[in-house]
């Protein structure tokens, strides 16, 4: 059987290949089928600075699986073959290797895929932005005329809103509105609805239902659904004045009253809940800071002790636990816990403790949003010289987020120590920061390769830290800290809680709101109250010149907002997940709209 596979007489499926022991079978296939190509892969692995025989063998095995199943040589492998193999590994194996894409990086480094190939396989595997037509077709609308109308409408609105808002609009208009009407009124093909249909639809929208139509709970953001539908009807009525032949036939009375979009009561309740949450979490913040510092020191001590302990020997952790050093050739440090009969990865524990400490310190000292913190790069540091004293002040340039406005934050000594520790960890003794691409799960876009501060080593490659990893580190740190609330329940911090605590603490310390606002929402160049006396105050004086990152590599999704077609100067719409509708167009008073 082995000679037949080596000669590519038999090309088995991945289901059979992935169940075989790779030690002899794959090594023989590599020695017979394109040995020069596999030698080039080994040389590419050594040239990129990677170390470790296990990672190299895993990468070679994956390329061998592709060659054995598809035929040809190493240079005949395509990107589609790599994607198909990854799906097969995830389906037929459960050993945890389905997420390693080193083999793709080696093939791309050899030029197998051409000069325009993506740098990472995840760029191809993760979903990108869908077109308005694809967003509407997901809902399965029967009426072709309404389907085409919604596609045209969303195409017009796509230049005004971000992708998250566009996706929510498509889900609301095509799914919760029209598809729901088609289910209860088969054959409907007009936007002019009768009173009974409108009343029944309003009642259905106010409840979240399962796939069988059974009500589960009240819909929290029902006012958002009503707002999108009302805006849809108003836009059609207004656009009909400019293009009557295109939009005029669809003008109809709006089924949503202005009172349906009122959410002042919900907003007041949400504001009260957030205030109460801040009052609960603010007193516990010093204890959380001490807890994450202690956890980091204990994890570092435990990792250092375990690394120095020989295999099979016991050692004691700072918490008083007795662990047994586990043998292995991996760079990670494993230990067995006799009390729980579980294996512990001390390297992962130390890594999560470090990033939990880092994100807590960065958020509490800056009051950033989580997306702003994760987009910090090595280019974000700015050295500003005070015009009066000539003193060099370190500042941090925050990329635009919701308000499309850059701002500068003063780097305090405490924040400087945290950022220095992050840079030292990411560099790992190298002179330059690794360049990685970050994936925005909301915009579904990849950024340009940038020296992000929040990145970590995952196996043989560097990856930008996603927000779900931040939540995991915070939750693990809170569970280990044992902090509880007034009802003896475990406290839970989210990244945005630190922003509210930052503002509340600034007001409690005596900082007036007028001085607080430039720090969070800067209208001009005065970003920190401690620098207001030294920064330019003249109306006609220009703000300080910022050291900007390279073009095309600064903001969300790797595309600067100022260079996006059709969105220059427009405010970023609020995300639908926040439950706050935003009227991107002026309110229209039309005779057809109540």
């Amino acid at each position: 059987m082995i000679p037949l596979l080596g000669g590519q007489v038999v090309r088995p499926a991945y289901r059979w290949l992935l169940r075989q022991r790779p030690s002899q079978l794959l090594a023989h296939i590599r020695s017979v089928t394109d040995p020069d190509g596999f030698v080039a892969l080994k040389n590419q692995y050594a040239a990129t600075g990677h170390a470790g025989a296990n990672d190299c063998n895993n990468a070679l095995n994956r390329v061998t699986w592709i060659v054995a199943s598809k035929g040809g040589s190493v240079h005949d492998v395509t990107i589609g073959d790599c994607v198909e193999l990854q799906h097969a590994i995830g389906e037929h194996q459960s050993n945890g290797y389905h997420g390693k894409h080193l083999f793709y990086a080696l093939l791309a480094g050899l030029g197998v895929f051409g000069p325009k190939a993506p740098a990472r396989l995840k760029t191809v595997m993760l979903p990108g932005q869908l077109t308005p037509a694809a967003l509407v077709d997901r809902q399965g609308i029967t009426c072709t005329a309404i389907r085409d109308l919604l596609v045209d409408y969303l195409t017009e609105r796509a230049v005004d809103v971000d992708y998250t808002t566009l996706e929510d609009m498509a889900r609301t208009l095509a799914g919760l509105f029209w598809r729901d009407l088609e289910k209860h009124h088969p054959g409907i093909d007009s936007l002019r609805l009768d009173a009974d249909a409108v009343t029944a639809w309003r009642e259905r929208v106010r409840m979240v239902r399962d796939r069988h139509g059974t009500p589960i709970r009240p819909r929290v953001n029902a006012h958002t659904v009503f707002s999108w539908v009302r805006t849809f009807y108003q836009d059609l009525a207004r656009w009909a004045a400019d293009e009557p032949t295109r939009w005029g036939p669809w003008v109809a009375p709006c089924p949503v009253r202005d009172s349906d979009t009122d959410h002042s009561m919900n907003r007041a309740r949400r504001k009260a809940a957030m205030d109460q949450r801040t009052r609960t979490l603010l007193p516990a913040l010093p204890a959380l800071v001490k807890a994450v510092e202690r956890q980091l020191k204990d994890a570092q001590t435990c990792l250092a002790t375990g690394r120095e302990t020989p295999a099979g020997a016991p050692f004691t952790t700072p918490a008083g636990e007795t662990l047994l050093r586990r043998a292995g050739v991996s760079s990670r440090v494993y230990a067995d816990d006799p009390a729980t009969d579980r294996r512990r990865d001390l390297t992962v524990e130390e890594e999560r403790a470090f990033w939990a400490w880092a994100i807590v310190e960065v958020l509490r000292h800056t009051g950033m949003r989580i997306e702003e913190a994760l987009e910090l790069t090595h280019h974000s540091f700015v050295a500003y010289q005070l015009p009066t004293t000539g003193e060099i002040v370190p500042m941090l340039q925050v990329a635009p987020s919701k308000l499309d406005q850059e701002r500068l934050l003063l780097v305090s000594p405490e924040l400087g120590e945290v950022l220095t520790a992050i840079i030292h960890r990411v560099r790992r003794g190298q002179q330059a920061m690794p360049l990685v691409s970050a994936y925005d799960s909301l915009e579904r876009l990849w950024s340009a390769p940038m020296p992000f501060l929040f990145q970590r080593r995952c196996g043989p490659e560097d990856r930008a830290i996603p927000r779900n990893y931040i939540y995991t580190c915070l939750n693990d740190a809170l569970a280990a800290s044992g902090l509880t609330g007034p009802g003896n329940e475990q406290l839970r911090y989210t990244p945005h809680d630190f922003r509210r605590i930052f503002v509340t603490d600034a007001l409690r310390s005596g900082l007036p709101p007028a001085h607080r606002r430039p720090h969070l929402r800067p209208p001009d160049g005065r970003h920190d109250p401690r620098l207001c006396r030294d920064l330019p105050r003249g109306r006609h004086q220009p703000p300080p010149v910022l050291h900007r990152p390279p073009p095309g590599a600064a903001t969300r999704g790797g595309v600067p907002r100022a260079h996006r077609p059709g969105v220059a100067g427009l405010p970023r719409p609020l995300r639908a997940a926040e439950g706050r509708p935003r009227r991107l167009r002026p309110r229209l008073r039309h005779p057809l709209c109540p």
Side-chain angles (χ1 to χ4, degrees):
M1 188 63 181
I2 294 181
L4 295 178
L5 292 175
Q8 295 186 353
V9 178
V10 178
R11 296 180 183 177
Y14 287 129
R15 182 176 182 180
W16 183 86
L17 279 173
L18 297 177
R19 294 181 179 180
Q20 308 302 316
R21 296 180 62 86
S23 56
Q24 299 180 357
L25 175 63
L26 300 183
H28 177 77
I29 295 177
R30 286 195 291 268
S31 64
V32 177
T33 305
D34 193 14
D36 296 336
F38 287 102
V39 171
L41 285 177
K42 288 184 179 180
N43 296 335
Q44 179 68 19
Y45 178 82
T48 53
H50 294 97
N54 290 336
D55 293 334
C56 182
N57 290 333
N58 290 331
L60 294 179
N61 289 342
R62 297 194 176 206
V63 179
T64 309
W65 283 330
I66 295 177
V67 172
S69 179
K70 301 298 181 180
S73 63
V74 171
H75 288 79
D76 295 328
V77 178
T78 63
I79 298 178
D81 295 336
C82 299
V83 175
E84 183 181 358
L85 174 64
Q86 287 302 112
H87 290 309
I89 293 176
E91 181 180 357
H92 301 298
Q93 284 192 354
S94 59
N95 55 5
Y97 290 117
H98 61 274
K100 294 187 176 180
H101 303 157
L102 176 62
F103 76 103
Y104 176 86
L106 296 180
L107 291 173
L110 286 179
V112 175
F113 307 129
K116 297 183 179 180
R120 294 183 59 189
L121 184 58
K122 270 195 171 184
T123 307
V124 183
M125 298 185 63
L126 290 178
Q129 292 187 354
L130 300 178
T131 61
L135 292 174
V136 173
D137 292 339
R138 289 194 304 182
Q139 306 300 330
I141 294 180
T142 305
C143 182
T144 305
I146 297 297
R147 180 261 179 196
D148 296 340
L149 172 66
L150 292 177
V151 171
D152 292 343
Y153 175 76
L154 294 177
T155 302
E156 293 289 332
R157 294 298 306 271
V159 298
D160 297 341
V161 299
D162 59 2
Y163 180 76
T164 307
T165 307
L166 182 68
E167 191 176 23
D168 183 63
M169 292 172 60
R171 186 188 310 110
T172 300
L173 297 177
L176 296 179
F177 176 56
W178 191 255
R179 182 54 183 161
D180 182 81
L181 290 175
E182 286 186 339
K183 290 180 180 179
H184 295 85
H185 305 277
I188 186 173
D189 59 354
S190 174
L191 295 179
R192 191 177 298 272
L193 307 177
D194 56 69
D196 295 338
V198 170
T199 303
W201 172 75
R202 288 176 186 164
E203 296 300 325
R204 291 193 300 269
V205 167
R206 297 184 189 276
M207 298 295 297
V208 175
R209 303 172 184 272
D210 57 13
R211 59 181 181 178
H212 303 292
T214 305
I216 301 176
R217 56 179 173 82
R219 189 183 300 275
V220 178
N221 62 335
H223 58 275
T224 306
V225 177
F226 296 141
S227 297
W228 285 132
V229 174
R230 182 176 176 84
T231 303
F232 172 61
Y233 275 81
Q234 290 177 343
D235 286 340
L236 293 181
R238 189 180 69 174
W239 296 351
D242 299 331
E243 300 180 73
T245 58
R246 182 182 181 186
W247 306 107
W250 300 105
V251 176
C254 181
V256 179
R257 301 184 300 266
D258 191 25
S259 58
D260 294 332
T261 62
D262 181 31
H263 62 287
S264 57
M265 184 176 298
N266 293 334
R267 183 168 50 191
R269 292 175 180 173
R270 185 171 62 250
K271 179 64 167 55
M274 289 190 299
D275 293 343
Q276 179 59 37
R277 180 179 178 84
T278 303
R279 286 191 291 267
T280 303
L281 298 180
L282 180 58
L285 182 59
L288 175 62
V289 173
K290 294 181 180 179
V292 294
E293 291 179 354
R294 183 182 66 255
Q295 293 173 16
L296 176 58
K297 293 180 180 179
D298 293 348
Q300 292 175 342
T301 303
C302 185
L303 178 60
T305 305
R307 185 174 284 117
E308 297 174 355
T309 303
F315 64 96
T316 304
T317 65
E321 302 171 321
T322 301
L323 304 179
L324 297 178
R325 177 71 160 87
R326 193 182 182 93
V329 296
S330 173
S331 59
R332 295 182 177 273
V333 179
Y334 296 97
D336 294 327
D337 190 353
T340 59
D341 292 333
R342 296 180 59 184
R343 186 188 70 171
R344 293 175 54 179
D345 190 341
L346 303 183
T347 307
V348 172
E349 293 180 2
E350 188 273 339
E351 185 179 35
R352 291 186 177 181
F354 174 83
W355 289 116
W357 168 79
I359 197 64
V360 168
E361 292 294 328
V362 170
L363 293 182
R364 80 181 185 94
H365 283 299
T366 61
M368 293 182 184
R369 299 181 180 92
I370 180 62
E371 61 267 21
E372 296 172 344
L374 295 181
E375 290 175 356
L376 291 177
T377 68
H378 211 197
H379 300 295
S380 302
F381 295 96
V382 178
Y384 176 69
Q385 185 176 6
L386 299 180
T388 55
T389 62
E391 180 184 359
I392 302 297
V393 179
M395 307 192 76
L396 197 63
Q397 180 181 356
V398 182
S401 179
K402 288 184 178 180
L403 299 173
D404 292 331
Q405 292 178 338
E406 294 180 348
R407 64 181 186 272
L408 290 178
L409 303 181
L410 179 65
V411 179
S412 61
E414 296 82 3
L415 179 60
E417 293 180 1
V418 177
L419 297 177
T420 302
I422 293 176
I423 295 175
H424 178 75
R425 184 183 186 89
V426 172
R427 277 183 173 175
R428 301 188 310 275
Q430 302 177 1
Q431 294 183 354
M433 298 272 291
L435 301 180
V436 297
S437 297
Y439 179 73
D440 192 335
S441 59
L442 299 177
E443 297 288 343
R444 294 189 180 183
L445 291 174
W446 285 90
S447 69
M450 290 290 293
F452 288 103
L453 298 185
F454 285 89
Q455 59 172 287
R456 65 189 185 98
R457 191 75 172 175
C458 297
E461 62 179 356
D462 298 296
R463 297 181 184 177
I465 294 180
R467 65 177 62 199
N468 59 350
Y469 183 79
I470 296 298
Y471 279 94
T472 300
C473 296
L474 280 178
N475 293 336
D476 292 346
L478 288 169
S481 65
L483 296 178
T484 58
N488 203 26
E489 74 281 0
Q490 179 180 337
L491 290 181
R492 179 179 178 271
Y493 281 80
T494 63
H496 205 73
D497 288 328
F498 294 95
R499 181 175 175 84
R500 301 190 189 100
I501 292 175
F502 178 86
V503 177
T504 305
D505 189 57
L507 293 177
R508 291 178 56 182
S509 62
L511 189 64
H515 291 273
R516 158 180 75 83
R517 292 182 182 273
H519 186 77
L520 297 178
R521 299 183 177 182
D524 48 27
R526 294 184 289 274
H527 300 274
D528 192 278
R530 288 172 287 182
L531 296 177
C532 286
R533 59 181 178 85
D534 294 320
L535 291 180
R537 289 178 177 269
R539 178 177 301 178
H540 302 289
Q541 292 180 346
V545 179
L546 306 182
H547 173 68
R548 300 179 183 273
T555 58
R556 300 186 57 79
V559 182
R561 297 191 176 278
H563 298 282
R564 290 188 181 181
V567 298
L570 292 178
R572 175 186 175 90
L574 297 180
R575 292 187 180 129
E578 298 181 2
R580 290 178 286 183
R582 182 186 181 108
R583 300 186 183 275
L584 300 177
R585 300 180 182 270
R587 186 185 297 274
L588 175 66
R589 295 300 181 185
H590 195 274
L592 297 177
C593 299

